[in-house]
Coordinates of all heavy atoms in Angstrom, one line a residue:
M30 N 89.6 128.8 90.6 CA 90.8 128.9 89.7 C 90.4 129.8 88.5 O 89.4 129.6 87.8 CB 91.1 127.5 89.1 CG 92.6 127.5 88.7 SD 93.0 125.7 88.3 CE 94.5 126.0 87.4
P31 N 91.2 130.9 88.3 CA 90.9 131.9 87.3 C 91.1 131.2 85.9 O 92.0 130.4 85.7 CB 91.8 133.0 87.5 CG 92.9 132.4 88.3 CD 92.4 131.2 89.0
T32 N 90.2 131.6 85.0 CA 90.4 131.1 83.6 C 91.4 131.9 82.9 O 91.4 133.1 82.8 CB 89.0 131.3 82.9 OG1 88.0 130.8 83.8 CG2 89.0 130.4 81.6
V33 N 92.4 131.2 82.4 CA 93.4 131.9 81.6 C 93.1 131.9 80.1 O 92.5 131.0 79.6 CB 94.8 131.1 81.8 CG1 95.9 131.8 81.0 CG2 95.1 130.9 83.3
G34 N 93.3 133.1 79.6 CA 93.1 133.2 78.1 C 91.7 133.6 77.8 O 91.3 133.5 76.6
A35 N 90.9 134.0 78.7 CA 89.5 134.3 78.4 C 89.3 135.8 78.1 O 88.2 136.2 77.8 CB 88.6 133.9 79.6
R36 N 90.4 136.5 78.2 CA 90.3 137.9 77.9 C 89.8 138.1 76.4 O 90.3 137.4 75.5 CB 91.7 138.6 78.0 CG 91.9 139.3 79.4 CD 93.2 139.9 79.4 NE 94.2 139.0 78.9 CZ 95.4 139.3 78.5 NH1 95.8 140.6 78.5 NH2 96.3 138.4 78.0
K37 N 89.0 139.1 76.3 CA 88.5 139.3 74.9 C 89.5 140.2 74.2 O 90.0 141.2 74.7 CB 87.2 140.1 75.0 CG 86.0 139.2 74.9 CD 84.7 140.0 74.6 CE 83.5 139.1 74.5 NZ 82.3 139.8 74.5
Q38 N 89.9 139.7 73.0 CA 90.8 140.5 72.2 C 90.2 140.8 70.8 O 89.6 139.9 70.2 CB 92.1 139.7 72.0 CG 93.1 139.9 73.1 CD 94.5 139.3 72.8 OE1 94.6 138.5 72.0 NE2 95.5 139.8 73.5
K39 N 90.4 142.1 70.4 CA 90.0 142.4 69.1 C 90.9 141.7 68.1 O 92.1 141.7 68.3 CB 90.0 143.9 68.9 CG 88.8 144.5 68.1 CD 88.8 146.0 68.2 CE 89.5 146.6 67.1 NZ 89.4 148.1 67.1
H40 N 90.3 141.2 67.1 CA 91.1 140.5 66.1 C 91.8 141.5 65.2 O 91.2 142.2 64.5 CB 90.3 139.5 65.3 CG 91.1 138.8 64.3 ND1 92.0 137.8 64.7 CD2 91.2 138.9 63.0 CE1 92.6 137.3 63.6 NE2 92.1 138.0 62.5
V41 N 93.1 141.4 65.3 CA 93.9 142.3 64.4 C 94.6 141.4 63.4 O 95.3 140.5 63.8 CB 94.9 143.1 65.2 CG1 95.8 144.0 64.2 CG2 94.2 144.0 66.2
P42 N 94.4 141.6 62.1 CA 95.1 140.8 61.1 C 96.6 140.9 61.2 O 97.1 142.1 61.3 CB 94.6 141.4 59.7 CG 93.5 142.3 60.0 CD 93.6 142.7 61.5
Q43 N 97.3 139.8 61.2 CA 98.7 139.8 61.4 C 99.4 139.8 60.0 O 98.9 139.2 59.1 CB 99.1 138.6 62.2 CG 98.5 138.6 63.6 CD 99.3 139.4 64.6 OE1 100.4 139.0 64.9 NE2 98.8 140.5 65.0
R44 N 100.5 140.5 60.0 CA 101.3 140.4 58.8 C 102.7 139.9 59.2 O 103.1 140.0 60.4 CB 101.5 141.8 58.2 CG 100.2 142.4 57.6 CD 99.7 141.7 56.4 NE 98.5 142.3 55.8 CZ 97.3 142.0 56.2 NH1 97.1 141.2 57.2 NH2 96.3 142.6 55.6
T45 N 103.4 139.3 58.3 CA 104.7 138.8 58.6 C 105.8 139.5 57.8 O 105.7 139.7 56.6 CB 104.8 137.3 58.2 OG1 103.7 136.6 58.9 CG2 106.1 136.7 58.7
C46 N 106.8 139.9 58.4 CA 108.0 140.6 57.8 C 108.7 139.5 56.9 O 109.1 138.5 57.5 CB 108.9 141.2 58.8 SG 110.4 141.8 58.1
I47 N 108.9 139.8 55.7 CA 109.6 138.8 54.8 C 111.1 138.8 55.0 O 111.8 138.0 54.5 CB 109.3 139.1 53.3 CG1 109.7 140.5 52.9 CG2 107.8 138.8 53.0 CD1 109.7 140.7 51.4
V48 N 111.6 139.8 55.8 CA 113.0 139.8 56.1 C 113.4 139.0 57.4 O 114.2 138.1 57.3 CB 113.5 141.3 56.2 CG1 115.0 141.3 56.7 CG2 113.4 142.0 54.9
C49 N 112.7 139.3 58.4 CA 113.0 138.7 59.7 C 111.9 137.8 60.3 O 112.2 137.1 61.2 CB 113.4 139.8 60.7 SG 112.0 140.8 61.2
G50 N 110.8 137.7 59.6 CA 109.7 136.8 60.1 C 108.9 137.3 61.2 O 108.1 136.6 61.7
K51 N 109.1 138.5 61.7 CA 108.3 139.1 62.8 C 106.9 139.2 62.4 O 106.6 139.6 61.3 CB 108.9 140.5 63.1 CG 108.2 141.0 64.4 CD 108.8 142.4 64.7 CE 107.9 143.5 64.1 NZ 108.2 144.8 64.6
K52 N 106.0 138.8 63.3 CA 104.6 138.9 63.1 C 104.0 140.1 63.9 O 104.3 140.2 65.1 CB 103.8 137.7 63.5 CG 104.0 136.5 62.5 CD 103.1 135.4 62.9 CE 103.0 134.3 61.8 NZ 104.3 133.6 61.6
A53 N 103.2 141.0 63.3 CA 102.7 142.1 64.0 C 101.5 142.6 63.1 O 101.2 142.2 62.0 CB 103.7 143.2 64.2
A54 N 100.8 143.6 63.7 CA 99.7 144.3 63.0 C 100.3 145.0 61.8 O 101.4 145.4 61.7 CB 99.0 145.2 63.9
K55 N 99.4 145.1 60.8 CA 99.8 145.7 59.5 C 100.5 147.1 59.7 O 101.4 147.4 58.9 CB 98.5 145.9 58.8 CG 98.7 146.2 57.3 CD 97.3 146.2 56.6 CE 97.4 146.7 55.2 NZ 96.0 146.9 54.6
G56 N 100.1 147.9 60.7 CA 100.6 149.2 60.9 C 102.1 149.2 61.2 O 102.8 150.2 61.1
E57 N 102.6 148.1 61.6 CA 104.0 148.0 62.0 C 104.9 147.8 60.8 O 106.2 147.8 60.9 CB 104.3 146.7 62.9 CG 103.5 146.8 64.2 CD 104.0 147.8 65.2 OE1 105.2 147.8 65.4 OE2 103.2 148.6 65.6
F58 N 104.3 147.6 59.6 CA 105.1 147.3 58.4 C 104.9 148.3 57.4 O 104.0 149.0 57.3 CB 104.7 145.9 57.9 CG 104.9 144.8 58.8 CD1 103.8 144.2 59.5 CD2 106.1 144.3 59.1 CE1 104.0 143.2 60.3 CE2 106.3 143.3 60.0 CZ 105.3 142.7 60.6
M59 N 105.9 148.3 56.5 CA 105.7 149.0 55.2 C 105.5 147.9 54.2 O 106.0 146.8 54.2 CB 106.9 149.9 54.9 CG 108.2 149.2 54.8 SD 109.5 150.5 54.6 CE 111.0 149.5 54.8
R60 N 104.7 148.3 53.2 CA 104.3 147.4 52.1 C 105.3 147.6 51.0 O 105.5 148.7 50.5 CB 102.9 147.6 51.8 CG 102.3 146.5 50.8 CD 100.8 146.6 50.7 NE 100.3 145.7 49.8 CZ 99.8 146.0 48.6 NH1 99.8 147.3 48.2 NH2 99.4 145.1 47.7
V61 N 105.8 146.5 50.5 CA 106.6 146.6 49.2 C 105.7 145.9 48.2 O 105.2 144.8 48.4 CB 107.9 145.8 49.4 CG1 108.8 145.9 48.2 CG2 108.7 146.3 50.6
V62 N 105.7 146.5 47.0 CA 104.7 146.0 46.0 C 105.4 145.9 44.7 O 106.3 146.7 44.3 CB 103.5 146.9 46.0 CG1 103.6 148.0 45.0 CG2 102.2 146.1 45.8
A63 N 105.1 144.8 44.0 CA 105.6 144.6 42.6 C 104.4 145.0 41.7 O 103.4 144.3 41.6 CB 106.0 143.2 42.4
T64 N 104.5 146.2 41.1 CA 103.4 146.7 40.3 C 103.5 146.0 38.9 O 104.5 145.4 38.6 CB 103.5 148.2 40.2 OG1 104.8 148.5 39.6 CG2 103.3 148.9 41.5
T65 N 102.5 146.2 38.1 CA 102.6 145.7 36.8 C 103.7 146.4 36.1 O 103.9 147.6 36.2 CB 101.2 146.0 36.0 OG1 100.9 147.4 36.3 CG2 100.1 145.1 36.5
G66 N 104.5 145.6 35.3 CA 105.7 146.1 34.7 C 106.9 145.7 35.6 O 108.0 146.1 35.3
N67 N 106.6 145.0 36.7 CA 107.6 144.5 37.6 C 108.5 145.6 38.3 O 109.6 145.3 38.7 CB 108.5 143.5 36.9 CG 107.8 142.1 36.8 OD1 106.8 141.9 37.5 ND2 108.2 141.3 35.9
A68 N 108.0 146.8 38.4 CA 108.7 147.7 39.2 C 108.4 147.5 40.6 O 107.2 147.3 41.0 CB 108.3 149.2 38.8
V69 N 109.4 147.4 41.4 CA 109.2 147.1 42.9 C 109.4 148.4 43.6 O 110.4 149.1 43.4 CB 110.2 146.1 43.4 CG1 110.1 145.9 44.9 CG2 110.0 144.7 42.7
Q70 N 108.4 148.7 44.4 CA 108.5 150.0 45.1 C 107.8 149.9 46.5 O 107.0 149.0 46.7 CB 107.8 151.1 44.3 CG 106.4 150.9 43.9 CD 105.9 151.9 42.9 OE1 105.9 151.7 41.7 NE2 105.5 153.1 43.4
I71 N 108.1 150.9 47.3 CA 107.5 151.0 48.6 C 106.1 151.6 48.4 O 106.0 152.6 47.7 CB 108.3 151.9 49.5 CG1 109.7 151.4 49.7 CG2 107.6 152.0 50.9 CD1 109.9 150.1 50.5
D72 N 105.1 150.9 49.0 CA 103.7 151.4 48.8 C 103.4 152.2 50.0 O 103.0 151.7 51.1 CB 102.8 150.2 48.7 CG 101.4 150.6 48.6 OD1 101.1 151.8 48.5 OD2 100.5 149.6 48.7
E73 N 103.5 153.5 49.9 CA 103.3 154.5 51.0 C 101.8 154.5 51.4 O 101.5 154.6 52.6 CB 103.7 155.9 50.6 CG 105.0 156.1 50.0 CD 106.1 156.3 51.0 OE1 105.7 156.3 52.2 OE2 107.3 156.5 50.7
T74 N 100.9 154.3 50.5 CA 99.5 154.4 50.8 C 98.9 153.1 51.2 O 97.8 153.1 51.7 CB 98.8 155.0 49.6 OG1 98.9 154.1 48.5 CG2 99.3 156.4 49.2
G75 N 99.5 152.0 50.8 CA 98.9 150.7 51.1 C 97.8 150.4 50.1 O 97.1 149.4 50.3
K76 N 97.8 151.1 49.0 CA 96.7 150.9 48.0 C 97.2 150.6 46.6 O 96.4 150.5 45.7 CB 95.9 152.2 48.0 CG 95.1 152.5 49.3 CD 94.2 153.7 49.1 CE 93.2 153.9 50.3 NZ 94.0 154.3 51.5
L77 N 98.5 150.5 46.4 CA 99.0 150.2 45.1 C 98.6 148.8 44.7 O 98.6 147.9 45.5 CB 100.5 150.3 45.0 CG 101.1 151.7 45.0 CD1 102.6 151.6 45.0 CD2 100.6 152.5 43.8
P78 N 98.1 148.7 43.4 CA 97.8 147.3 43.0 C 99.1 146.5 42.7 O 100.1 147.1 42.4 CB 97.1 147.6 41.7 CG 97.6 148.9 41.2 CD 98.0 149.7 42.4
G79 N 99.0 145.3 42.8 CA 100.1 144.4 42.6 C 100.3 143.5 43.7 O 99.6 143.5 44.7
R80 N 101.3 142.6 43.6 CA 101.6 141.7 44.6 C 102.4 142.3 45.7 O 103.5 142.9 45.4 CB 102.4 140.5 44.1 CG 102.6 139.4 45.1 CD 103.3 138.2 44.4 NE 102.4 137.5 43.4 CZ 101.5 136.6 43.8 NH1 101.4 136.2 45.0 NH2 100.8 136.0 42.8
G81 N 102.0 142.3 46.9 CA 102.7 143.0 48.0 C 103.3 142.0 49.0 O 102.9 140.9 49.1
A82 N 104.3 142.6 49.7 CA 104.9 141.9 50.8 C 105.2 142.9 51.9 O 105.2 144.1 51.6 CB 106.2 141.2 50.4
Y83 N 105.4 142.4 53.1 CA 105.5 143.4 54.2 C 106.9 143.3 54.8 O 107.5 142.2 55.0 CB 104.5 143.1 55.3 CG 103.1 143.4 54.8 CD1 102.4 142.5 54.1 CD2 102.6 144.7 54.9 CE1 101.1 142.8 53.6 CE2 101.3 145.0 54.4 CZ 100.6 144.0 53.7 OH 99.4 144.3 53.2
V84 N 107.5 144.5 55.2 CA 108.8 144.6 55.8 C 108.6 145.5 57.0 O 108.0 146.5 56.9 CB 109.8 145.1 54.8 CG1 111.2 145.3 55.4 CG2 109.9 144.3 53.5
C85 N 109.3 145.2 58.1 CA 109.3 146.0 59.3 C 109.6 147.5 59.0 O 110.5 147.7 58.2 CB 110.3 145.6 60.3 SG 110.2 143.9 60.9
K86 N 108.9 148.4 59.6 CA 109.3 149.8 59.5 C 110.5 150.0 60.3 O 111.4 150.9 60.0 CB 108.2 150.7 60.1 CG 107.1 151.0 59.1 CD 106.0 151.9 59.8 CE 104.8 152.1 58.9 NZ 103.7 152.7 59.6
D87 N 110.7 149.3 61.4 CA 111.9 149.4 62.2 C 113.1 149.0 61.4 O 113.0 148.1 60.6 CB 111.8 148.5 63.5 CG 110.6 148.8 64.3 OD1 110.1 150.0 64.2 OD2 110.1 147.9 65.1
V88 N 114.2 149.6 61.8 CA 115.4 149.3 61.2 C 115.8 147.8 61.6 O 115.8 147.5 62.8 CB 116.5 150.3 61.6 CG1 117.9 149.8 61.0 CG2 116.2 151.7 61.1
H89 N 116.2 147.0 60.7 CA 116.7 145.7 61.0 C 118.1 145.8 61.6 O 118.9 146.5 61.1 CB 116.6 144.8 59.8 CG 115.3 144.4 59.4 ND1 114.6 145.0 58.4 CD2 114.4 143.4 60.0 CE1 113.4 144.4 58.3 NE2 113.3 143.5 59.2
E90 N 118.3 145.0 62.7 CA 119.6 145.1 63.4 C 120.7 144.7 62.4 O 121.8 145.3 62.5 CB 119.6 144.2 64.6 CG 118.8 144.9 65.7 CD 118.8 144.1 67.0 OE1 119.7 143.2 67.1 OE2 117.9 144.3 67.8
A91 N 120.4 143.8 61.6 CA 121.4 143.3 60.7 C 120.9 143.5 59.2 O 120.2 142.7 58.8 CB 121.8 141.8 60.9
P92 N 121.3 144.6 58.6 CA 120.9 144.8 57.2 C 121.2 143.7 56.3 O 120.6 143.5 55.3 CB 121.6 146.1 56.8 CG 122.0 146.8 58.1 CD 122.2 145.7 59.1
G93 N 122.2 142.9 56.7 CA 122.6 141.7 55.9 C 121.5 140.7 55.8 O 121.5 139.8 55.0
Q94 N 120.5 140.8 56.7 CA 119.3 139.9 56.7 C 118.5 140.1 55.4 O 117.8 139.2 55.0 CB 118.4 140.2 57.9 CG 118.8 139.6 59.2 CD 117.8 139.9 60.2 OE1 117.4 141.1 60.5 NE2 117.2 138.9 60.8
I95 N 118.6 141.3 54.9 CA 117.7 141.6 53.8 C 118.3 141.0 52.5 O 119.4 141.4 52.1 CB 117.6 143.1 53.6 CG1 117.1 143.8 54.9 CG2 116.6 143.5 52.5 CD1 117.1 145.3 54.9
K96 N 117.6 140.0 52.0 CA 118.2 139.3 50.8 C 117.3 139.5 49.6 O 116.1 139.4 49.7 CB 118.2 137.8 51.1 CG 119.1 137.4 52.2 CD 120.5 137.2 51.7 CE 121.4 136.5 52.7 NZ 121.7 137.4 53.8
K97 N 117.9 139.9 48.6 CA 117.2 140.2 47.3 C 116.4 139.0 46.9 O 115.2 139.1 46.5 CB 118.2 140.5 46.2 CG 117.6 140.9 44.9 CD 118.7 141.5 44.0 CE 118.2 141.9 42.6 NZ 118.6 140.9 41.6
S98 N 117.0 137.8 47.0 CA 116.3 136.6 46.5 C 115.0 136.3 47.3 O 114.0 135.9 46.8 CB 117.2 135.4 46.6 OG 117.6 135.2 48.0
R99 N 115.0 136.7 48.6 CA 113.9 136.5 49.4 C 112.7 137.4 49.0 O 111.6 137.0 49.0 CB 114.3 136.8 50.9 CG 113.4 136.2 51.9 CD 114.2 135.8 53.1 NE 113.3 135.5 54.2 CZ 113.8 135.2 55.4 NH1 115.1 135.3 55.6 NH2 113.0 135.0 56.4
I100 N 113.1 138.6 48.7 CA 112.0 139.5 48.3 C 111.5 139.2 46.9 O 110.3 139.3 46.7 CB 112.6 141.0 48.5 CG1 112.8 141.2 50.0 CG2 111.6 142.0 47.9 CD1 113.2 142.6 50.4
E101 N 112.4 138.8 46.1 CA 112.0 138.4 44.7 C 111.0 137.2 44.8 O 110.0 137.2 44.1 CB 113.2 138.0 43.9 CG 114.0 139.2 43.4 CD 115.2 138.8 42.6 OE1 115.8 137.7 42.8 OE2 115.7 139.6 41.8
Y102 N 111.4 136.3 45.7 CA 110.5 135.2 45.9 C 109.1 135.6 46.4 O 108.1 135.1 45.9 CB 111.2 134.2 46.9 CG 110.4 133.0 47.1 CD1 110.3 131.9 46.2 CD2 109.6 132.8 48.3 CE1 109.5 130.8 46.4 CE2 108.9 131.7 48.6 CZ 108.8 130.7 47.6 OH 108.0 129.6 47.9
A103 N 109.1 136.4 47.4 CA 107.9 136.9 48.0 C 107.0 137.6 47.0 O 105.8 137.5 47.0 CB 108.1 137.7 49.2
L104 N 107.6 138.3 46.1 CA 106.9 139.1 45.2 C 106.7 138.4 43.8 O 106.1 139.0 42.9 CB 107.6 140.5 45.0 CG 107.6 141.4 46.2 CD1 108.4 142.7 45.9 CD2 106.2 141.8 46.7
R105 N 107.3 137.2 43.7 CA 107.3 136.5 42.5 C 107.8 137.3 41.3 O 107.1 137.4 40.3 CB 105.9 136.0 42.2 CG 105.2 135.4 43.3 CD 105.5 133.9 43.5 NE 104.4 133.2 44.2 CZ 104.3 133.2 45.5 NH1 105.2 134.0 46.3 NH2 103.4 132.6 46.2
T106 N 108.9 138.0 41.5 CA 109.4 138.8 40.5 C 110.9 138.9 40.5 O 111.5 138.3 41.4 CB 108.8 140.3 40.6 OG1 109.2 141.0 39.4 CG2 109.4 141.0 41.8
K107 N 111.5 139.4 39.5 CA 113.0 139.7 39.5 C 113.2 141.2 39.6 O 112.4 141.9 39.0 CB 113.6 139.1 38.2 CG 113.6 137.6 38.2 CD 114.7 137.0 39.1 CE 114.6 135.5 39.1 NZ 115.3 134.9 40.3
M108 N 114.2 141.5 40.3 CA 114.4 143.0 40.5 C 115.8 143.4 39.8 O 116.7 142.7 39.9 CB 114.5 143.3 42.0 CG 113.2 143.2 42.7 SD 113.4 143.4 44.4 CE 113.8 145.1 44.5
E109 N 115.7 144.5 39.2 CA 117.0 145.1 38.7 C 117.8 145.5 39.8 O 117.3 145.9 40.9 CB 116.6 146.3 37.8 CG 115.8 146.1 36.6 CD 116.4 145.2 35.6 OE1 117.7 145.2 35.5 OE2 115.7 144.4 34.9
D110 N 119.1 145.5 39.6 CA 120.0 145.9 40.7 C 119.8 147.3 41.2 O 119.9 147.6 42.4 CB 121.5 145.7 40.3 CG 121.9 144.2 40.3 OD1 121.1 143.4 40.8 OD2 122.9 143.9 39.6
D111 N 119.4 148.2 40.3 CA 119.1 149.6 40.6 C 117.9 149.6 41.6 O 117.9 150.4 42.6 CB 118.8 150.4 39.4 CG 120.0 150.7 38.6 OD1 121.1 150.3 39.0 OD2 119.9 151.3 37.5
D112 N 116.8 148.9 41.2 CA 115.6 148.8 42.1 C 116.0 148.3 43.4 O 115.5 148.8 44.5 CB 114.6 147.9 41.4 CG 113.8 148.6 40.3 OD1 114.0 149.8 40.2 OD2 113.0 147.9 39.6
W113 N 116.8 147.3 43.4 CA 117.2 146.7 44.7 C 117.9 147.6 45.6 O 117.7 147.7 46.8 CB 118.0 145.4 44.4 CG 118.5 144.8 45.6 CD1 119.8 144.6 45.9 CD2 117.7 144.2 46.7 NE1 119.9 144.0 47.2 CE2 118.6 143.7 47.7 CE3 116.4 144.1 47.0 CZ2 118.2 143.2 48.9 CZ3 115.9 143.6 48.2 CH2 116.9 143.1 49.1
A114 N 118.9 148.3 45.0 CA 119.7 149.2 45.7 C 118.8 150.3 46.4 O 119.0 150.7 47.5 CB 120.8 149.9 44.8
R115 N 117.9 150.8 45.6 CA 117.0 151.8 46.1 C 116.1 151.3 47.3 O 115.9 152.0 48.3 CB 116.1 152.3 44.9 CG 115.4 153.6 45.1 CD 115.0 154.2 43.7 NE 114.7 153.2 42.7 CZ 113.4 152.7 42.6 NH1 112.5 153.1 43.3 NH2 113.2 151.8 41.6
L116 N 115.6 150.1 47.1 CA 114.8 149.5 48.1 C 115.5 149.3 49.4 O 115.0 149.5 50.5 CB 114.2 148.2 47.6 CG 112.9 147.7 48.2 CD1 111.8 148.6 47.9 CD2 112.6 146.3 47.6
V117 N 116.7 148.8 49.3 CA 117.5 148.5 50.5 C 117.8 149.8 51.3 O 117.7 149.8 52.5 CB 118.9 147.8 50.1 CG1 119.8 147.8 51.3 CG2 118.6 146.4 49.6
T118 N 118.0 150.8 50.5 CA 118.3 152.1 51.2 C 117.1 152.5 52.1 O 117.2 153.0 53.2 CB 118.5 153.2 50.1 OG1 119.5 152.7 49.2 CG2 119.0 154.5 50.8
V119 N 115.9 152.3 51.5 CA 114.7 152.6 52.3 C 114.5 151.7 53.5 O 114.1 152.1 54.5 CB 113.4 152.5 51.3 CG1 112.2 152.9 52.1 CG2 113.6 153.5 50.2
M120 N 114.8 150.4 53.3 CA 114.5 149.4 54.3 C 115.5 149.5 55.5 O 115.2 149.0 56.6 CB 114.5 148.0 53.7 CG 113.3 147.8 52.9 SD 113.0 146.1 52.4 CE 114.4 145.8 51.4
R121 N 116.7 150.1 55.3 CA 117.7 150.0 56.3 C 117.4 151.0 57.4 O 116.8 152.0 57.2 CB 119.1 150.3 55.8 CG 119.7 149.0 55.3 CD 121.0 149.2 54.7 NE 121.4 147.9 54.1 CZ 122.5 147.8 53.3 NH1 123.1 148.8 52.9 NH2 122.8 146.6 52.8
Ligands
LIG22 ZN1 111.6 142.5 59.9

């Protein structure tokens, strides 16, 4: 009887999308970061300091899934409506 699950797999750290909950490798996501001063921005380089969260690079089928409160919660910050509008545009 063949052994199931004995295949060797390289361990890839998983990230979770804060919008839809999808789990995948880091490369599948863009990082959203709350920098000091509470500006929330997309972290293109993955190196910005601050509290980060991950969102799918893929367009979400239902942009309505993207909730400001959820992202604020994940980043432990409050966002100005302007910041939010800008972020949503990028995430859609
Ligand atoms: Zn997602």
Side-chain angles (χ1 to χ4, degrees):
M30 204 170 162
T32 315
V33 182
R36 264 180 314 162
K37 266 195 183 169
Q38 272 191 339
K39 218 168 96 179
H40 181 72
V41 179
Q43 299 277 289
R44 296 291 184 272
T45 306
C46 172
I47 56 169
V48 174
C49 67
K51 189 182 91 169
K52 285 189 170 64
K55 196 177 170 184
E57 302 287 308
F58 298 108
M59 56 188 170
R60 185 166 179 255
V61 182
V62 93
T64 56
T65 46
N67 282 343
V69 176
Q70 58 189 98
I71 302 292
D72 179 7
E73 308 272 2
T74 62
K76 291 185 172 69
L77 285 177
R80 185 178 291 276
Y83 293 88
V84 178
C85 300
K86 276 182 188 167
D87 299 338
V88 174
H89 287 98
E90 282 180 24
Q94 280 183 303
I95 305 173
K96 294 276 191 292
K97 184 168 177 260
S98 59
R99 198 147 169 184
I100 295 188
E101 285 177 335
Y102 178 77
L104 296 175
R105 315 273 200 281
T106 188
K107 290 284 175 194
M108 292 171 69
E109 299 295 332
D110 286 344
D111 285 357
D112 279 351
W113 174 241
R115 201 157 30 88
L116 203 64
V117 167
T118 310
V119 179
M120 290 192 293
R121 273 178 187 168

